[in-house]
Amino acid sequence: MENQKIGCYICTGCGIGDLLDIKLLEDMATKESRIPVVRTHAFLCGEEGLTTIRHDMQNEAVNTVVIAACSPRVHVETFRQLEAPLLDRVNLREQVIWVQHLKEEDDKDVFEEDRQMAAEDYLRMGCAKVKKMDPPEPFDDPGLSKTIMVVGGGVSGLTAAKEAADTGYDVVLVEKDAELGGRVAQMLKVSPVKPPYDQLEQPPTAALIAAVEGHDKIKIYKKATIKETTGAPGLFDVKIEYGAGEYSTGEDSTGEDSTGEDYSTGEDSTGEDSTGEDSTGEDSTGENSERIGAIVVATGYTLYDETKLTHLGHGTSPDVITAWEFEQMAKAGNIVRKSDGQPAKRVAFSLCAGSRDVQHLEYCSGACCTYSMKQALYVTEQYEDASTFLIYQEIRTPGQMEDFYRKVQNEGGVFIKGDINKVASGSNGGLTVDINDKLLRTPESLDVDLLVLATGMMPNIDTTDPNQETDLSASDANSVLNLQYRQGPSLPLLKWGFPDSHYICFPYETRRTGIHAAGPVRRPMGISSSMTDATGAALKAIQTVESIGRGAAVHPRVGDLSYPSFRVDGCTQCKRCTEECPFGAINEDDKSNPLFNPTRCRRCGTCMGACPQKIISFSNYSVDMISTMFKECEIPEEDEEKPRILIFACENDAYPALDMIGHNRGILTPYIRVVPLRCMGSMNLVWVADAMSAGYDGVLLMGCRHGDDYQCHFVRGSALAETRLNKVAETLDRLQLESERVKMIEVNIMDSDILPDKINAFVDDLEAFGPNPFKEF
């Protein structure tokens, strides 16, 4: 940073001034780190402390602020209001004075010396860090759009479109069918969503459709498919092919001329040629291009293939039907046996038909219980002498649906916890269903007119392999968005086909920035939950376009204005950055050089960690910066018997866990030095070599849980770090050091109670190896 002037402010509050020699810290910052402005204050986070810093910024030309006080995870907004071009925090409270306590067996002088050394090292690192930083310049593009595209016109899509439009954003709604409403519009009734939660209600789709079709902020494409999605958040260019019945309301969100009329005439509002030959025919089609800011995928669900449920009797009789077939039968007002047309007064419902079954769908489909109970009421409403039997594993009716459960019980619904053993034709027509009753622990046999299978939900999403480049012209290709990413056209999916995301912390986000999933395509859920879910996804899409408009990152580094730069002249075209980026932020040109998309980036630094040439860096985060930080720490002589352990801690889970040890007044060894990383995926192997060469006795990496049940905020960072670490043995062999001196452990944010033991165990291992022989150099 040109004309950088650093101000270092050391807080003496919260016991820092009582337990540390503040004068030594001041002298170290002034004389050793050569910081021109160094001040202390008893309450930096108070108005008087902030005024002190502001005074120096205005009158002493301080443009870089180092605050040595509490954890960077607290008082974030307090210090953000300083609006310093560069600001960094040094954690003297949670990770020094609150975790180092004098024990009876300790030598007081040695203990205090170790604690003071830790504080001085952290301050050295903080001062060195800011010297390697430049103020980030946010990405900007005059073509950025805040229009939100919703894919899917069912209850989830309609809700997302309406909520976004009601907030004032232009919306493009794309529906593959000729009419809006999806499956819910085809239902007779739905489960209750309002008190007293015991009466079936009309589907909410009619009101939603009317609101959406009459909204001047919503442009609708029907009988439409997305042919191609290029670009990035704020700059998505989406080609939409539509058929007869597509129409628009409001102005054209792309800024191009729009007729505002029904596009079923085959005319293209963007001026492109329509693909339809007959401009007035029923089968005419057109193609438009829309500039989109963020996307909500609300394509709903498909039902599990009932032909695979032969163990539940499907295929043995026409009277074994699916819940969807039964819904259409009830809507027609004629609940009868399909085999002979006789009234179906005795109906059995098989819940979890194919769900929670390792041979079929391993997960719960969320809404089958309430859906089957609703259909049981259809039977009792049509026939006064009806009998219904609901065969279940566990009844799941969360929230107010418990009242609905009691309603069905009171209406005569018989709930049987058990398994269906056999389904056969009955002697007088209908079926005989043999059941193993798990509560009574006896076999039972039911004579029924129909057996209704509540087949499970499956996401209505891509069938292409999301991890392979796919030929979209192939007959089996079915990508909803047809993304033009080097990683392929599809959203990365979980093993059950749902879009991948950090389920706990960021449920609506997919692994493609700016693309959000909502409703049953995200996870199995019912109608009420889908509408709530769609509202959440719409809000996330709004947050995305607003963040992108400011040049800022979205989750989890919300507000981060930095993004990586690439020194392309040093690139060896190894493709590691493009292949390892979890979010598809980097494409390649025809020479395999990286092509970076700034608004796709989530600022994790995985590309920086992947690059063997160190050509990728952020203005405020780089390989050189981290190396410089830990090299600033003093390494005791070999004969002092004071080991030094360098810890690289993920800032999302491991660093908070370390802070929690301090808040709980736990104890950590004074020999560790912690360097927080944006993500363990940003860990570059050169840091390991540099640390060992600098004399550290060991390096401990603290990453998030990875695998199928990962908790990594950046999805793959921790897993990638472990893969890279497998190569570190070669580095240590060259240095003639034990490979066990470098270790990686998984740390959950709630692991503060067991983390000290894990660290101590690593220290014990290092003591067995003895000091790092490089100390003497």
PDB file of all heavy atoms in Angstrom, residues 456-489:
ATOM      1  N   GLY A 456     -42.259 -41.849  -2.341  1.00  0.00           N
ATOM      2  CA  GLY A 456     -41.398 -40.781  -1.867  1.00  0.00           C
ATOM      3  C   GLY A 456     -41.088 -39.722  -2.909  1.00  0.00           C
ATOM      4  O   GLY A 456     -41.263 -39.918  -4.114  1.00  0.00           O
ATOM      5  N   MET A 457     -40.609 -38.582  -2.401  1.00  0.00           N
ATOM      6  CA  MET A 457     -40.231 -37.463  -3.255  1.00  0.00           C
ATOM      7  C   MET A 457     -38.794 -37.596  -3.722  1.00  0.00           C
ATOM      8  O   MET A 457     -37.909 -37.960  -2.953  1.00  0.00           O
ATOM      9  CB  MET A 457     -40.353 -36.144  -2.484  1.00  0.00           C
ATOM     10  CG  MET A 457     -41.749 -35.697  -2.166  1.00  0.00           C
ATOM     11  SD  MET A 457     -41.665 -34.077  -1.365  1.00  0.00           S
ATOM     12  CE  MET A 457     -43.414 -33.798  -1.038  1.00  0.00           C
ATOM     13  N   MET A 458     -38.583 -37.238  -4.988  1.00  0.00           N
ATOM     14  CA  MET A 458     -37.241 -37.129  -5.549  1.00  0.00           C
ATOM     15  C   MET A 458     -37.122 -35.753  -6.201  1.00  0.00           C
ATOM     16  O   MET A 458     -38.086 -35.249  -6.770  1.00  0.00           O
ATOM     17  CB  MET A 458     -37.001 -38.227  -6.584  1.00  0.00           C
ATOM     18  CG  MET A 458     -37.073 -39.636  -6.022  1.00  0.00           C
ATOM     19  SD  MET A 458     -36.970 -40.878  -7.331  1.00  0.00           S
ATOM     20  CE  MET A 458     -35.323 -40.550  -7.966  1.00  0.00           C
ATOM     21  N   PRO A 459     -35.961 -35.123  -6.084  1.00  0.00           N
ATOM     22  CA  PRO A 459     -35.819 -33.770  -6.649  1.00  0.00           C
ATOM     23  C   PRO A 459     -35.968 -33.771  -8.157  1.00  0.00           C
ATOM     24  O   PRO A 459     -35.417 -34.635  -8.853  1.00  0.00           O
ATOM     25  CB  PRO A 459     -34.402 -33.363  -6.231  1.00  0.00           C
ATOM     26  CG  PRO A 459     -33.673 -34.661  -6.027  1.00  0.00           C
ATOM     27  CD  PRO A 459     -34.702 -35.608  -5.488  1.00  0.00           C
ATOM     28  N   ASN A 460     -36.714 -32.818  -8.662  1.00  0.00           N
ATOM     29  CA  ASN A 460     -36.907 -32.670 -10.108  1.00  0.00           C
ATOM     30  C   ASN A 460     -35.802 -31.753 -10.633  1.00  0.00           C
ATOM     31  O   ASN A 460     -35.982 -30.564 -10.818  1.00  0.00           O
ATOM     32  CB  ASN A 460     -38.286 -32.069 -10.386  1.00  0.00           C
ATOM     33  CG  ASN A 460     -38.601 -32.053 -11.861  1.00  0.00           C
ATOM     34  OD1 ASN A 460     -38.032 -32.815 -12.634  1.00  0.00           O
ATOM     35  ND2 ASN A 460     -39.498 -31.170 -12.265  1.00  0.00           N
ATOM     36  N   ILE A 461     -34.638 -32.356 -10.817  1.00  0.00           N
ATOM     37  CA  ILE A 461     -33.449 -31.575 -11.148  1.00  0.00           C
ATOM     38  C   ILE A 461     -32.655 -32.351 -12.190  1.00  0.00           C
ATOM     39  O   ILE A 461     -33.145 -33.326 -12.757  1.00  0.00           O
ATOM     40  CB  ILE A 461     -32.631 -31.265  -9.866  1.00  0.00           C
ATOM     41  CG1 ILE A 461     -31.580 -30.171 -10.084  1.00  0.00           C
ATOM     42  CG2 ILE A 461     -32.000 -32.519  -9.299  1.00  0.00           C
ATOM     43  CD1 ILE A 461     -32.134 -28.815 -10.244  1.00  0.00           C
ATOM     44  N   ASP A 462     -31.427 -31.966 -12.403  1.00  0.00           N
ATOM     45  CA  ASP A 462     -30.626 -32.517 -13.493  1.00  0.00           C
ATOM     46  C   ASP A 462     -30.423 -34.018 -13.396  1.00  0.00           C
ATOM     47  O   ASP A 462     -30.260 -34.574 -12.319  1.00  0.00           O
ATOM     48  CB  ASP A 462     -29.246 -31.849 -13.501  1.00  0.00           C
ATOM     49  CG  ASP A 462     -29.354 -30.337 -13.617  1.00  0.00           C
ATOM     50  OD1 ASP A 462     -30.434 -29.862 -13.988  1.00  0.00           O
ATOM     51  OD2 ASP A 462     -28.362 -29.667 -13.335  1.00  0.00           O
ATOM     52  N   THR A 463     -30.388 -34.652 -14.567  1.00  0.00           N
ATOM     53  CA  THR A 463     -30.012 -36.060 -14.633  1.00  0.00           C
ATOM     54  C   THR A 463     -28.615 -36.225 -15.206  1.00  0.00           C
ATOM     55  O   THR A 463     -28.126 -37.327 -15.328  1.00  0.00           O
ATOM     56  CB  THR A 463     -30.995 -36.853 -15.505  1.00  0.00           C
ATOM     57  OG1 THR A 463     -31.010 -36.286 -16.822  1.00  0.00           O
ATOM     58  CG2 THR A 463     -32.384 -36.810 -14.926  1.00  0.00           C
ATOM     59  N   THR A 464     -27.960 -35.112 -15.566  1.00  0.00           N
ATOM     60  CA  THR A 464     -26.585 -35.197 -16.040  1.00  0.00           C
ATOM     61  C   THR A 464     -25.657 -35.384 -14.854  1.00  0.00           C
ATOM     62  O   THR A 464     -26.001 -35.095 -13.727  1.00  0.00           O
ATOM     63  CB  THR A 464     -26.196 -33.911 -16.788  1.00  0.00           C
ATOM     64  OG1 THR A 464     -26.436 -32.793 -15.928  1.00  0.00           O
ATOM     65  CG2 THR A 464     -26.995 -33.755 -18.049  1.00  0.00           C
ATOM     66  N   ASP A 465     -24.478 -35.885 -15.118  1.00  0.00           N
ATOM     67  CA  ASP A 465     -23.471 -36.053 -14.074  1.00  0.00           C
ATOM     68  C   ASP A 465     -22.867 -34.684 -13.783  1.00  0.00           C
ATOM     69  O   ASP A 465     -22.201 -34.106 -14.641  1.00  0.00           O
ATOM     70  CB  ASP A 465     -22.386 -37.028 -14.526  1.00  0.00           C
ATOM     71  CG  ASP A 465     -21.375 -37.316 -13.422  1.00  0.00           C
ATOM     72  OD1 ASP A 465     -21.314 -36.533 -12.456  1.00  0.00           O
ATOM     73  OD2 ASP A 465     -20.649 -38.320 -13.527  1.00  0.00           O
ATOM     74  N   PRO A 466     -23.061 -34.121 -12.572  1.00  0.00           N
ATOM     75  CA  PRO A 466     -22.619 -32.756 -12.306  1.00  0.00           C
ATOM     76  C   PRO A 466     -21.114 -32.609 -12.229  1.00  0.00           C
ATOM     77  O   PRO A 466     -20.602 -31.500 -12.266  1.00  0.00           O
ATOM     78  CB  PRO A 466     -23.258 -32.461 -10.943  1.00  0.00           C
ATOM     79  CG  PRO A 466     -23.377 -33.798 -10.292  1.00  0.00           C
ATOM     80  CD  PRO A 466     -23.670 -34.760 -11.409  1.00  0.00           C
ATOM     81  N   ASN A 467     -20.408 -33.706 -12.127  1.00  0.00           N
ATOM     82  CA  ASN A 467     -18.957 -33.630 -11.975  1.00  0.00           C
ATOM     83  C   ASN A 467     -18.212 -33.938 -13.272  1.00  0.00           C
ATOM     84  O   ASN A 467     -16.991 -34.037 -13.292  1.00  0.00           O
ATOM     85  CB  ASN A 467     -18.503 -34.599 -10.878  1.00  0.00           C
ATOM     86  CG  ASN A 467     -19.120 -34.241  -9.543  1.00  0.00           C
ATOM     87  OD1 ASN A 467     -19.081 -33.087  -9.146  1.00  0.00           O
ATOM     88  ND2 ASN A 467     -19.712 -35.220  -8.870  1.00  0.00           N
ATOM     89  N   GLN A 468     -18.948 -34.099 -14.358  1.00  0.00           N
ATOM     90  CA  GLN A 468     -18.327 -34.404 -15.634  1.00  0.00           C
ATOM     91  C   GLN A 468     -18.847 -33.439 -16.703  1.00  0.00           C
ATOM     92  O   GLN A 468     -20.010 -33.028 -16.671  1.00  0.00           O
ATOM     93  CB  GLN A 468     -18.642 -35.848 -16.060  1.00  0.00           C
ATOM     94  CG  GLN A 468     -18.177 -36.900 -15.082  1.00  0.00           C
ATOM     95  CD  GLN A 468     -16.667 -37.010 -15.042  1.00  0.00           C
ATOM     96  OE1 GLN A 468     -16.003 -36.734 -16.030  1.00  0.00           O
ATOM     97  NE2 GLN A 468     -16.121 -37.402 -13.903  1.00  0.00           N
ATOM     98  N   GLU A 469     -17.990 -33.083 -17.613  1.00  0.00           N
ATOM     99  CA  GLU A 469     -18.448 -32.290 -18.738  1.00  0.00           C
ATOM    100  C   GLU A 469     -19.398 -33.154 -19.570  1.00  0.00           C
ATOM    101  O   GLU A 469     -19.114 -34.312 -19.867  1.00  0.00           O
ATOM    102  CB  GLU A 469     -17.267 -31.811 -19.576  1.00  0.00           C
ATOM    103  CG  GLU A 469     -16.369 -30.828 -18.827  1.00  0.00           C
ATOM    104  CD  GLU A 469     -15.306 -30.237 -19.713  1.00  0.00           C
ATOM    105  OE1 GLU A 469     -15.359 -30.474 -20.930  1.00  0.00           O
ATOM    106  OE2 GLU A 469     -14.416 -29.544 -19.189  1.00  0.00           O
ATOM    107  N   THR A 470     -20.536 -32.588 -19.923  1.00  0.00           N
ATOM    108  CA  THR A 470     -21.598 -33.387 -20.508  1.00  0.00           C
ATOM    109  C   THR A 470     -21.992 -32.859 -21.884  1.00  0.00           C
ATOM    110  O   THR A 470     -22.068 -31.652 -22.098  1.00  0.00           O
ATOM    111  CB  THR A 470     -22.839 -33.356 -19.581  1.00  0.00           C
ATOM    112  OG1 THR A 470     -22.447 -33.780 -18.286  1.00  0.00           O
ATOM    113  CG2 THR A 470     -23.936 -34.262 -20.103  1.00  0.00           C
ATOM    114  N   ASP A 471     -22.236 -33.752 -22.799  1.00  0.00           N
ATOM    115  CA  ASP A 471     -22.736 -33.398 -24.118  1.00  0.00           C
ATOM    116  C   ASP A 471     -24.233 -33.145 -24.001  1.00  0.00           C
ATOM    117  O   ASP A 471     -25.027 -34.071 -23.832  1.00  0.00           O
ATOM    118  CB  ASP A 471     -22.458 -34.533 -25.106  1.00  0.00           C
ATOM    119  CG  ASP A 471     -22.991 -34.216 -26.498  1.00  0.00           C
ATOM    120  OD1 ASP A 471     -23.446 -33.067 -26.720  1.00  0.00           O
ATOM    121  OD2 ASP A 471     -22.939 -35.111 -27.365  1.00  0.00           O
ATOM    122  N   LEU A 472     -24.623 -31.876 -24.058  1.00  0.00           N
ATOM    123  CA  LEU A 472     -26.027 -31.534 -23.858  1.00  0.00           C
ATOM    124  C   LEU A 472     -26.910 -31.991 -25.016  1.00  0.00           C
ATOM    125  O   LEU A 472     -28.128 -31.956 -24.911  1.00  0.00           O
ATOM    126  CB  LEU A 472     -26.169 -30.025 -23.649  1.00  0.00           C
ATOM    127  CG  LEU A 472     -25.570 -29.494 -22.347  1.00  0.00           C
ATOM    128  CD1 LEU A 472     -25.771 -27.996 -22.265  1.00  0.00           C
ATOM    129  CD2 LEU A 472     -26.193 -30.174 -21.151  1.00  0.00           C
ATOM    130  N   SER A 473     -26.308 -32.403 -26.095  1.00  0.00           N
ATOM    131  CA  SER A 473     -27.119 -32.901 -27.210  1.00  0.00           C
ATOM    132  C   SER A 473     -27.470 -34.366 -27.019  1.00  0.00           C
ATOM    133  O   SER A 473     -28.281 -34.914 -27.766  1.00  0.00           O
ATOM    134  CB  SER A 473     -26.356 -32.718 -28.532  1.00  0.00           C
ATOM    135  OG  SER A 473     -25.166 -33.515 -28.535  1.00  0.00           O
ATOM    136  N   ALA A 474     -26.869 -34.992 -25.999  1.00  0.00           N
ATOM    137  CA  ALA A 474     -27.157 -36.408 -25.761  1.00  0.00           C
ATOM    138  C   ALA A 474     -28.612 -36.581 -25.377  1.00  0.00           C
ATOM    139  O   ALA A 474     -29.222 -35.731 -24.736  1.00  0.00           O
ATOM    140  CB  ALA A 474     -26.241 -36.955 -24.661  1.00  0.00           C
ATOM    141  N   SER A 475     -29.168 -37.719 -25.751  1.00  0.00           N
ATOM    142  CA  SER A 475     -30.597 -37.940 -25.531  1.00  0.00           C
ATOM    143  C   SER A 475     -30.956 -38.014 -24.058  1.00  0.00           C
ATOM    144  O   SER A 475     -32.085 -37.729 -23.675  1.00  0.00           O
ATOM    145  CB  SER A 475     -31.026 -39.240 -26.230  1.00  0.00           C
ATOM    146  OG  SER A 475     -30.283 -40.342 -25.710  1.00  0.00           O
ATOM    147  N   ASP A 476     -30.003 -38.407 -23.194  1.00  0.00           N
ATOM    148  CA  ASP A 476     -30.314 -38.557 -21.784  1.00  0.00           C
ATOM    149  C   ASP A 476     -29.917 -37.331 -20.969  1.00  0.00           C
ATOM    150  O   ASP A 476     -30.004 -37.336 -19.755  1.00  0.00           O
ATOM    151  CB  ASP A 476     -29.623 -39.800 -21.202  1.00  0.00           C
ATOM    152  CG  ASP A 476     -28.109 -39.735 -21.349  1.00  0.00           C
ATOM    153  OD1 ASP A 476     -27.633 -38.865 -22.102  1.00  0.00           O
ATOM    154  OD2 ASP A 476     -27.423 -40.553 -20.703  1.00  0.00           O
ATOM    155  N   ALA A 477     -29.434 -36.269 -21.636  1.00  0.00           N
ATOM    156  CA  ALA A 477     -29.047 -35.063 -20.910  1.00  0.00           C
ATOM    157  C   ALA A 477     -30.293 -34.278 -20.523  1.00  0.00           C
ATOM    158  O   ALA A 477     -31.197 -34.100 -21.318  1.00  0.00           O
ATOM    159  CB  ALA A 477     -28.120 -34.204 -21.762  1.00  0.00           C
ATOM    160  N   ASN A 478     -30.337 -33.816 -19.291  1.00  0.00           N
ATOM    161  CA  ASN A 478     -31.491 -33.055 -18.819  1.00  0.00           C
ATOM    162  C   ASN A 478     -31.019 -32.092 -17.751  1.00  0.00           C
ATOM    163  O   ASN A 478     -31.124 -32.347 -16.571  1.00  0.00           O
ATOM    164  CB  ASN A 478     -32.561 -33.989 -18.252  1.00  0.00           C
ATOM    165  CG  ASN A 478     -33.739 -33.211 -17.695  1.00  0.00           C
ATOM    166  OD1 ASN A 478     -34.030 -32.118 -18.149  1.00  0.00           O
ATOM    167  ND2 ASN A 478     -34.407 -33.770 -16.704  1.00  0.00           N
ATOM    168  N   SER A 479     -30.445 -30.991 -18.168  1.00  0.00           N
ATOM    169  CA  SER A 479     -29.954 -29.994 -17.235  1.00  0.00           C
ATOM    170  C   SER A 479     -30.933 -28.826 -17.208  1.00  0.00           C
ATOM    171  O   SER A 479     -31.261 -28.260 -18.250  1.00  0.00           O
ATOM    172  CB  SER A 479     -28.560 -29.511 -17.647  1.00  0.00           C
ATOM    173  OG  SER A 479     -28.119 -28.496 -16.790  1.00  0.00           O
ATOM    174  N   VAL A 480     -31.419 -28.494 -16.038  1.00  0.00           N
ATOM    175  CA  VAL A 480     -32.423 -27.438 -15.912  1.00  0.00           C
ATOM    176  C   VAL A 480     -31.882 -26.101 -16.388  1.00  0.00           C
ATOM    177  O   VAL A 480     -32.549 -25.361 -17.108  1.00  0.00           O
ATOM    178  CB  VAL A 480     -32.904 -27.347 -14.447  1.00  0.00           C
ATOM    179  CG1 VAL A 480     -33.744 -26.094 -14.241  1.00  0.00           C
ATOM    180  CG2 VAL A 480     -33.707 -28.586 -14.080  1.00  0.00           C
ATOM    181  N   LEU A 481     -30.643 -25.759 -15.993  1.00  0.00           N
ATOM    182  CA  LEU A 481     -30.089 -24.448 -16.292  1.00  0.00           C
ATOM    183  C   LEU A 481     -29.118 -24.460 -17.470  1.00  0.00           C
ATOM    184  O   LEU A 481     -28.824 -23.402 -18.024  1.00  0.00           O
ATOM    185  CB  LEU A 481     -29.372 -23.895 -15.058  1.00  0.00           C
ATOM    186  CG  LEU A 481     -30.243 -23.657 -13.825  1.00  0.00           C
ATOM    187  CD1 LEU A 481     -29.391 -23.188 -12.654  1.00  0.00           C
ATOM    188  CD2 LEU A 481     -31.332 -22.633 -14.120  1.00  0.00           C
ATOM    189  N   ASN A 482     -28.598 -25.613 -17.832  1.00  0.00           N
ATOM    190  CA  ASN A 482     -27.599 -25.691 -18.905  1.00  0.00           C
ATOM    191  C   ASN A 482     -26.472 -24.680 -18.693  1.00  0.00           C
ATOM    192  O   ASN A 482     -26.176 -23.837 -19.547  1.00  0.00           O
ATOM    193  CB  ASN A 482     -28.241 -25.496 -20.278  1.00  0.00           C
ATOM    194  CG  ASN A 482     -29.009 -26.733 -20.713  1.00  0.00           C
ATOM    195  OD1 ASN A 482     -28.594 -27.850 -20.438  1.00  0.00           O
ATOM    196  ND2 ASN A 482     -30.139 -26.525 -21.373  1.00  0.00           N
ATOM    197  N   LEU A 483     -25.854 -24.772 -17.525  1.00  0.00           N
ATOM    198  CA  LEU A 483     -24.779 -23.853 -17.164  1.00  0.00           C
ATOM    199  C   LEU A 483     -23.578 -24.045 -18.079  1.00  0.00           C
ATOM    200  O   LEU A 483     -23.178 -25.172 -18.371  1.00  0.00           O
ATOM    201  CB  LEU A 483     -24.349 -24.094 -15.712  1.00  0.00           C
ATOM    202  CG  LEU A 483     -25.406 -23.844 -14.643  1.00  0.00           C
ATOM    203  CD1 LEU A 483     -24.921 -24.373 -13.298  1.00  0.00           C
ATOM    204  CD2 LEU A 483     -25.742 -22.363 -14.544  1.00  0.00           C
ATOM    205  N   GLN A 484     -22.975 -22.944 -18.488  1.00  0.00           N
ATOM    206  CA  GLN A 484     -21.770 -23.011 -19.306  1.00  0.00           C
ATOM    207  C   GLN A 484     -20.548 -22.839 -18.395  1.00  0.00           C
ATOM    208  O   GLN A 484     -19.824 -21.851 -18.453  1.00  0.00           O
ATOM    209  CB  GLN A 484     -21.815 -21.935 -20.390  1.00  0.00           C
ATOM    210  CG  GLN A 484     -22.999 -22.068 -21.325  1.00  0.00           C
ATOM    211  CD  GLN A 484     -23.066 -23.438 -21.986  1.00  0.00           C
ATOM    212  OE1 GLN A 484     -22.160 -23.819 -22.720  1.00  0.00           O
ATOM    213  NE2 GLN A 484     -24.137 -24.179 -21.738  1.00  0.00           N
ATOM    214  N   TYR A 485     -20.370 -23.816 -17.502  1.00  0.00           N
ATOM    215  CA  TYR A 485     -19.242 -23.839 -16.575  1.00  0.00           C
ATOM    216  C   TYR A 485     -18.300 -24.955 -17.022  1.00  0.00           C
ATOM    217  O   TYR A 485     -18.754 -25.974 -17.534  1.00  0.00           O
ATOM    218  CB  TYR A 485     -19.700 -24.130 -15.148  1.00  0.00           C
ATOM    219  CG  TYR A 485     -20.348 -22.978 -14.413  1.00  0.00           C
ATOM    220  CD1 TYR A 485     -21.352 -22.225 -14.990  1.00  0.00           C
ATOM    221  CD2 TYR A 485     -19.956 -22.662 -13.115  1.00  0.00           C
ATOM    222  CE1 TYR A 485     -21.963 -21.190 -14.300  1.00  0.00           C
ATOM    223  CE2 TYR A 485     -20.554 -21.625 -12.418  1.00  0.00           C
ATOM    224  CZ  TYR A 485     -21.556 -20.891 -13.017  1.00  0.00           C
ATOM    225  OH  TYR A 485     -22.149 -19.867 -12.329  1.00  0.00           O
ATOM    226  N   ARG A 486     -17.007 -24.784 -16.788  1.00  0.00           N
ATOM    227  CA  ARG A 486     -16.074 -25.827 -17.185  1.00  0.00           C
ATOM    228  C   ARG A 486     -16.312 -27.089 -16.376  1.00  0.00           C
ATOM    229  O   ARG A 486     -15.945 -28.182 -16.790  1.00  0.00           O
ATOM    230  CB  ARG A 486     -14.625 -25.355 -17.056  1.00  0.00           C
ATOM    231  CG  ARG A 486     -14.149 -24.987 -15.663  1.00  0.00           C
ATOM    232  CD  ARG A 486     -13.438 -26.095 -14.940  1.00  0.00           C
ATOM    233  NE  ARG A 486     -12.295 -26.595 -15.649  1.00  0.00           N
ATOM    234  CZ  ARG A 486     -11.824 -27.809 -15.482  1.00  0.00           C
ATOM    235  NH1 ARG A 486     -12.419 -28.631 -14.635  1.00  0.00           N
ATOM    236  NH2 ARG A 486     -10.769 -28.219 -16.135  1.00  0.00           N
ATOM    237  N   GLN A 487     -16.995 -26.971 -15.223  1.00  0.00           N
ATOM    238  CA  GLN A 487     -17.305 -28.153 -14.413  1.00  0.00           C
ATOM    239  C   GLN A 487     -18.550 -28.883 -14.904  1.00  0.00           C
ATOM    240  O   GLN A 487     -18.922 -29.912 -14.330  1.00  0.00           O
ATOM    241  CB  GLN A 487     -17.492 -27.765 -12.944  1.00  0.00           C
ATOM    242  CG  GLN A 487     -16.224 -27.284 -12.268  1.00  0.00           C
ATOM    243  CD  GLN A 487     -15.975 -25.800 -12.487  1.00  0.00           C
ATOM    244  OE1 GLN A 487     -16.668 -25.151 -13.254  1.00  0.00           O
ATOM    245  NE2 GLN A 487     -14.967 -25.267 -11.820  1.00  0.00           N
ATOM    246  N   GLY A 488     -19.212 -28.361 -15.905  1.00  0.00           N
ATOM    247  CA  GLY A 488     -20.385 -29.038 -16.439  1.00  0.00           C
ATOM    248  C   GLY A 488     -21.638 -28.203 -16.339  1.00  0.00           C
ATOM    249  O   GLY A 488     -21.670 -27.158 -15.681  1.00  0.00           O
ATOM    250  N   PRO A 489     -22.727 -28.639 -16.959  1.00  0.00           N
ATOM    251  CA  PRO A 489     -23.941 -27.827 -17.071  1.00  0.00           C
ATOM    252  C   PRO A 489     -24.871 -27.900 -15.872  1.00  0.00           C
ATOM    253  O   PRO A 489     -25.849 -27.171 -15.812  1.00  0.00           O
ATOM    254  CB  PRO A 489     -24.634 -28.429 -18.296  1.00  0.00           C
ATOM    255  CG  PRO A 489     -24.230 -29.875 -18.248  1.00  0.00           C
ATOM    256  CD  PRO A 489     -22.816 -29.880 -17.739  1.00  0.00           C
TER     257      PRO A 489
END
